[in-house]
Amino acid sequence: MTVLFSRLSVTVSVENTTLLVEGDVEVSLAADLAACGVKWLKHTELTSLSLDFGRIEKASSAAISVLFEWLRICRQRGIHIQAILFSAPLRRLASLAELDALIDQPAATLAI
């Protein structure tokens, strides 16, 4: 595992072919989280990966914003998203925002 970002109660790391967020994503950290993932995505040689938000305990629109930024870069770089994993609280928030198709069918994320 390679840690890309670690501050307060949140960590972003890479494990095999998964970009992983762990902890509570606060609004004040969202830009830094997104930036560290973008930097890694712009330099990775992977052509497909998974995004794992399953270890986030507190639902946050900031986490979803980070996801969208990473998906945008994946689209630009032609990186295929194998899966998007959400914790139960984050899944409920995404469902309220009508993003179920995004979570359940990651290939559709390339249209973002």
Side-chain angles (χ1 to χ4, degrees):
M1 177 183 340
T2 302
V3 176
L4 303 177
F5 179 93
S6 183
R7 196 174 311 152
L8 299 173
S9 63
V10 68
T11 302
V12 176
S13 58
V14 177
E15 190 170 315
N16 298 317
T17 61
T18 301
L19 189 53
L20 170 70
V21 181
E22 186 171 3
D24 292 331
V25 178
E26 301 291 333
V27 172
S28 61
L29 296 176
D32 291 340
L33 290 173
C36 80
V38 165
K39 182 178 178 181
W40 181 80
L41 288 165
K42 286 185 174 182
H43 294 96
T44 186
E45 294 183 15
L46 294 175
T47 57
S48 67
L49 60 90
S50 295
L51 302 173
D52 187 346
F53 288 74
R55 298 178 191 176
I56 294 176
E57 296 179 19
K58 181 180 171 186
S60 166
S61 60
I64 293 174
S65 295
V66 170
L67 170 67
F68 278 123
E69 182 63 13
W70 291 354
L71 290 173
R72 185 180 67 79
I73 297 303
C74 287
R75 178 179 166 214
Q76 285 178 355
R77 300 243 14 255
I79 299 171
H80 174 74
I81 302 300
Q82 296 171 339
I84 300 172
L85 307 172
F86 273 11
S87 63
L90 200 53
R91 181 177 276 282
R92 284 190 295 276
L93 178 62
S95 184
L96 284 172
E98 298 181 352
L99 298 173
D100 295 314
L102 173 70
I103 298 165
D104 297 331
Q105 299 175 9
T109 63
L110 296 178
I112 290 177

